[in-house]
Amino acid sequence: ALKVSGRTKGGLGIGILNAVTEKTYAEISNTTNGNTRRELIEPLANFNVLVLDQRFRKNSSVSFINTNVTRDKEYRDANVSALVWDLNTKKNTYNLNGGFKYSYINEYEDNNDRKGFNTDLYFGDTSGKYRYGFGGQYVSDNYDPNDLGINFQNHYHAYYGNASYRILKPSKKFNSFNTNFNYYTEFDNRTGRIQEHSINLNYNSVSKKNNYFGFGFNGRPTKVYDFYTPRSTDQRKYVSVPQRFGGHIFVSTNYAKKFAIDFNPSM
């Protein structure tokens, strides 16, 4: 294995990781006749990660990432490239971040090349008492970074947003105070059905006497459809998940005193 990393004076970060693994065998036993055999489960393989990360204006960056897995002879090869960015205004008042990821899988055994992509974009107000943000994501059917990464599901698109209010300095009644609202909805690309839908509202405060109080509300306002649990490519097979709502409240008095109370019911 080889690893090289560093950053230039101009703010360019460079990272390289390369590793070669030898053949891996499993010994398989037949419990009926007692015969055993060795089976090749992973051929000689080369794993490589390359990262180029350019920082600028002390608060922003644009990065290129590539992962590559090349296996000996006619086995599965995989290559995934990504361009990601995190851009902030000079005074850190607004943020724009996102990325575009592209995967290419070469399956020699069935002579099948699969190409897929994953793209997302988010914009947010990141300063002041009132803040907000919204974004979206699209993941294609064949996006697959799992040879040198992990991805649990694909073939969906999503929209999300948030809004919040907070005090930046202690007031007459509160040392700290904040409330936030989050929204997320996700759709299956094939059917257009909602497969994830959630909202939550949270409130947290600390009084001038250092007593804590807060509450939260969360829920799934609509029925959603799970296309992954049936383990089938048939779009007519899915698990229907009903609406759900819950909440909590908490009170915690000042722990600097001899006697304190914690109260935290939820549903």
Side-chain angles (χ1 to χ4, degrees):
L2 169 70
K3 175 184 175 183
V4 178
S5 64
R7 189 173 295 275
T8 69
K9 292 182 179 179
L12 176 62
I14 302 171
I16 300 172
L17 175 64
N18 194 88
V20 179
T21 60
E22 62 180 351
K23 296 178 181 180
T24 303
Y25 291 89
E27 187 173 276
I28 302 172
S29 299
N30 188 323
T31 57
T32 303
N33 56 28
N35 293 334
T36 62
R37 74 177 193 274
R38 296 183 75 211
E39 188 76 21
L40 179 66
I41 61 174
E42 178 74 9
L44 180 72
N46 185 85
F47 296 82
N48 183 269
V49 180
L50 168 68
V51 179
L52 301 175
D53 171 56
Q54 179 63 58
R55 292 182 181 176
F56 56 94
R57 212 165 50 206
K58 297 182 179 180
N59 65 354
S60 299
S61 66
V62 176
S63 304
F64 173 78
I65 304 139
N66 177 265
T67 64
N68 181 275
V69 181
T70 302
R71 296 179 173 91
D72 187 29
K73 299 182 179 179
E74 295 183 353
Y75 289 91
R76 170 185 169 121
D77 293 337
N79 190 81
V80 183
S81 297
L83 180 67
V84 297
W85 56 86
D86 182 18
L87 309 177
N88 296 278
T89 56
K90 187 175 182 180
K91 295 183 179 180
N92 287 318
T93 52
Y94 297 100
N95 171 264
L96 180 69
N97 67 75
F100 180 83
K101 307 172 184 70
Y102 177 81
S103 66
Y104 175 77
I105 308 297
N106 190 346
E107 295 275 11
Y108 287 99
E109 289 185 352
D110 55 10
N111 194 27
N112 181 30
D113 294 346
R114 294 186 290 109
K115 304 172 184 178
F117 66 91
N118 176 356
T119 183
D120 65 280
L121 187 65
Y122 175 84
F123 173 81
D125 181 340
T126 55
S127 68
K129 295 181 179 180
Y130 297 93
R131 305 185 186 188
Y132 62 88
F134 53 89
Q137 182 181 22
Y138 187 96
V139 182
S140 72
D141 183 19
N142 289 323
Y143 177 68
D144 186 357
N146 289 320
D147 290 80
L148 195 49
I150 188 167
N151 184 60
F152 292 107
Q153 68 182 55
N154 51 18
H155 211 11
Y156 68 90
H157 61 281
Y159 306 100
Y160 44 89
N162 63 78
S164 64
Y165 172 79
R166 73 202 68 193
I167 62 173
L168 303 178
K169 296 180 180 180
S171 65
K172 293 181 180 180
K173 296 183 178 181
F174 297 100
N175 284 331
S176 68
F177 174 97
N178 72 79
T179 181
N180 62 78
F181 173 78
N182 297 282
Y183 174 85
Y184 181 86
T185 182
E186 183 179 292
F187 300 86
D188 176 68
N189 288 344
R190 299 163 296 182
T191 65
R193 289 182 180 270
I194 296 178
Q195 62 184 27
E196 186 59 56
H197 195 194
S198 64
I199 59 173
N200 67 73
L201 173 68
N202 294 285
Y203 168 90
N204 300 280
S205 65
V206 182
S207 71
K208 298 298 288 186
K209 295 183 179 181
N210 284 327
N211 297 316
Y212 292 75
F213 172 74
F215 62 86
F217 169 81
N218 61 81
R220 183 170 48 240
T222 60
K223 180 169 61 176
V224 300
Y225 302 89
D226 183 349
F227 295 92
Y228 303 96
T229 298
R231 304 291 195 271
S232 172
T233 58
D234 188 344
Q235 301 172 14
R236 297 169 296 179
K237 295 182 179 181
Y238 54 80
V239 174
S240 179
V241 185
Q243 295 172 305
R244 177 191 61 81
F245 295 97
H248 71 276
I249 186 172
F250 73 88
V251 176
S252 181
T253 61
N254 190 347
Y255 266 53
K257 295 184 177 182
K258 293 182 179 181
F259 182 76
I261 298 176
D262 284 332
F263 179 66
N264 184 20
S266 61
M267 54 178 267

